[in-house]
Coordinates of all heavy atoms in Angstrom, one line a residue:
K1692 N 15.3 15.9 30.3 CA 16.8 15.9 30.4 C 17.3 15.3 31.9 O 16.7 15.7 32.9 CB 17.3 17.4 30.4 CG 18.9 17.4 30.4 CD 19.3 18.8 30.2 CE 20.9 19.0 30.2 NZ 21.4 20.3 29.9
T1693 N 18.1 14.3 31.9 CA 18.4 13.6 33.2 C 19.7 14.2 33.7 O 20.6 14.6 32.9 CB 18.6 12.2 32.9 OG1 19.7 11.9 31.9 CG2 17.4 11.4 32.5
V1694 N 19.8 14.3 35.0 CA 21.0 14.9 35.8 C 21.6 13.8 36.5 O 20.9 13.0 37.3 CB 20.5 16.1 36.6 CG1 21.9 16.7 37.3 CG2 19.8 17.2 35.8
E1695 N 22.9 13.7 36.5 CA 23.6 12.6 37.3 C 23.3 12.8 38.8 O 23.2 13.9 39.3 CB 25.1 12.7 37.1 CG 25.5 12.3 35.6 CD 25.3 13.5 34.6 OE1 24.8 14.5 35.1 OE2 25.7 13.4 33.5
S1696 N 23.2 11.7 39.6 CA 22.8 11.6 41.0 C 24.0 12.4 41.7 O 23.6 13.2 42.7 CB 22.8 10.3 41.4 OG 21.7 9.6 40.8
W1697 N 25.3 12.3 41.3 CA 26.3 13.1 42.2 C 26.2 14.5 42.0 O 26.8 15.2 42.9 CB 27.7 12.4 41.8 CG 28.1 12.7 40.4 CD1 27.7 11.8 39.2 CD2 28.6 13.8 39.9 NE1 28.2 12.3 38.2 CE2 28.8 13.5 38.4 CE3 29.3 14.9 40.4 CZ2 29.5 14.5 37.6 CZ3 29.9 15.8 39.6 CH2 30.0 15.6 38.2
R1698 N 25.6 15.1 41.0 CA 25.5 16.4 40.8 C 24.5 17.1 41.7 O 24.6 18.2 42.1 CB 25.3 16.8 39.5 CG 26.4 16.4 38.5 CD 26.0 16.9 37.0 NE 27.0 16.6 36.0 CZ 28.0 17.5 35.7 NH1 28.1 18.6 36.4 NH2 29.0 17.0 34.9
S1699 N 23.5 16.3 42.2 CA 22.5 16.9 43.0 C 22.2 15.8 44.1 O 21.1 15.1 43.9 CB 21.3 17.3 42.3 OG 20.8 16.2 41.5
P1700 N 23.0 15.6 45.2 CA 22.9 14.5 46.1 C 21.4 14.6 46.9 O 20.8 13.6 47.2 CB 24.0 14.6 47.0 CG 24.5 16.0 46.9 CD 24.3 16.3 45.4
G1701 N 21.3 15.8 47.3 CA 20.0 16.1 48.2 C 18.7 15.7 47.3 O 17.8 15.0 47.8
Q1702 N 18.7 16.1 46.1 CA 17.5 15.8 45.2 C 17.5 14.4 45.0 O 16.3 13.8 45.0 CB 17.7 16.8 43.9 CG 16.4 16.5 43.0 CD 16.6 17.3 41.8 OE1 17.6 18.1 41.5 NE2 15.5 17.3 40.9
S1703 N 18.6 13.8 44.8 CA 18.7 12.3 44.5 C 18.1 11.4 45.8 O 17.3 10.5 45.6 CB 19.9 11.9 44.1 OG 20.6 12.5 42.9
I1704 N 18.6 11.9 47.0 CA 18.0 11.1 48.2 C 16.5 11.4 48.3 O 15.8 10.4 48.7 CB 18.8 11.6 49.5 CG1 20.4 11.3 49.3 CG2 18.2 11.1 50.7 CD1 21.1 11.8 50.3
G1705 N 16.1 12.6 48.1 CA 14.7 12.9 48.2 C 13.9 12.2 47.2 O 12.8 11.7 47.6
R1706 N 14.4 12.0 46.0 CA 13.6 11.3 44.9 C 13.6 9.8 45.3 O 12.6 9.2 45.0 CB 14.5 11.5 43.6 CG 13.6 10.8 42.5 CD 14.5 11.0 41.1 NE 14.9 12.3 40.9 CZ 16.1 12.7 40.9 NH1 17.1 11.8 41.1 NH2 16.6 14.0 40.5
S1707 N 14.7 9.3 45.9 CA 14.7 7.8 46.2 C 13.7 7.6 47.4 O 12.9 6.6 47.4 CB 16.1 7.4 46.9 OG 17.0 7.5 45.6
A1708 N 13.7 8.6 48.3 CA 12.7 8.4 49.5 C 11.3 8.4 49.0 O 10.4 7.7 49.4 CB 12.8 9.5 50.6
S1709 N 11.0 9.3 48.0 CA 9.8 9.5 47.4 C 9.3 8.3 46.6 O 8.2 7.8 46.8 CB 9.7 10.8 46.5 OG 8.4 10.9 45.9
N1710 N 10.3 7.6 45.9 CA 10.0 6.5 45.2 C 9.7 5.3 46.1 O 8.9 4.4 45.9 CB 11.2 6.1 44.3 CG 11.4 7.1 43.2 OD1 10.4 7.8 42.7 ND2 12.6 7.2 42.6
G1711 N 10.4 5.3 47.3 CA 10.2 4.2 48.2 C 8.8 4.3 49.0 O 8.1 3.4 49.0
A1712 N 8.4 5.6 49.2 CA 7.1 5.8 49.7 C 6.0 5.4 48.7 O 5.0 4.8 49.1 CB 6.8 7.2 50.2
H1713 N 6.3 5.8 47.4 CA 5.2 5.3 46.4 C 5.2 3.9 46.3 O 4.1 3.3 46.0 CB 5.6 6.1 45.1 CG 5.2 7.6 45.0 ND1 6.1 8.5 45.5 CD2 4.1 8.1 44.6 CE1 5.4 9.6 45.3 NE2 4.2 9.4 44.7
G1714 N 6.3 3.2 46.4 CA 6.3 1.8 46.3 C 5.6 1.1 47.5 O 4.8 0.2 47.3
A1715 N 5.8 1.6 48.7 CA 5.1 0.9 49.8 C 3.5 1.2 49.7 O 2.7 0.4 50.0 CB 5.6 1.7 51.1
A1716 N 3.2 2.4 49.3 CA 1.7 2.7 49.0 C 1.2 1.9 47.9 O 0.0 1.3 48.1 CB 1.6 4.2 48.6
S1717 N 1.9 1.6 46.9 CA 1.5 0.8 45.8 C 1.1 -0.7 46.3 O 0.3 -1.3 46.0 CB 2.4 0.8 44.7 OG 2.7 2.0 44.2
I1718 N 2.2 -1.2 47.1 CA 2.0 -2.5 47.7 C 0.7 -2.6 48.7 O 0.0 -3.5 48.6 CB 3.2 -3.0 48.5 CG1 4.4 -3.1 47.5 CG2 3.1 -4.4 49.2 CD1 5.7 -3.4 48.1
F1719 N 0.6 -1.6 49.5 CA -0.5 -1.6 50.4 C -1.9 -1.6 49.5 O -2.7 -2.3 49.9 CB -0.5 -0.4 51.4 CG -1.7 -0.2 52.3 CD1 -1.9 -1.1 53.4 CD2 -2.6 0.8 51.9 CE1 -3.0 -0.8 54.0 CE2 -3.7 0.9 52.7 CZ -4.0 0.1 53.9
M1720 N -1.9 -0.7 48.6 CA -3.1 -0.6 47.8 C -3.3 -1.9 47.1 O -4.5 -2.4 46.9 CB -2.9 0.6 46.8 CG -3.0 1.9 47.5 SD -4.6 2.2 48.2 CE -5.7 2.1 47.0
F1721 N -2.3 -2.6 46.7 CA -2.5 -3.9 46.0 C -3.0 -4.9 46.8 O -4.0 -5.7 46.5 CB -1.1 -4.4 45.4 CG -1.2 -5.7 44.9 CD1 -1.7 -5.9 43.6 CD2 -0.7 -6.8 45.5 CE1 -1.8 -7.3 43.0 CE2 -0.8 -8.1 45.0 CZ -1.3 -8.4 43.7
L1722 N -2.6 -4.9 48.1 CA -3.1 -6.0 49.1 C -4.5 -5.7 49.4 O -5.4 -6.4 49.5 CB -2.2 -6.0 50.3 CG -0.9 -6.4 50.2 CD1 -0.1 -6.4 51.4 CD2 -0.9 -7.8 49.8
A1723 N -4.9 -4.4 49.6 CA -6.3 -3.9 49.8 C -7.2 -4.3 48.7 O -8.2 -4.8 49.0 CB -6.3 -2.4 50.2
M1724 N -6.7 -4.0 47.5 CA -7.5 -4.3 46.3 C -7.8 -5.9 46.2 O -8.8 -6.4 45.8 CB -6.9 -3.8 45.0 CG -7.0 -2.3 44.9 SD -5.9 -1.6 43.6 CE -6.8 -2.4 42.2

Side-chain angles (χ1 to χ4, degrees):
K1692 186 176 182 179
T1693 58
V1694 181
E1695 294 82 355
S1696 300
W1697 61 272
R1698 292 184 179 273
S1699 55
Q1702 185 178 0
S1703 300
I1704 295 173
R1706 188 184 306 116
S1707 299
S1709 177
N1710 292 336
H1713 281 84
S1717 299
I1718 294 174
F1719 175 77
M1720 290 299 299
F1721 173 77
L1722 294 175
M1724 292 172 62

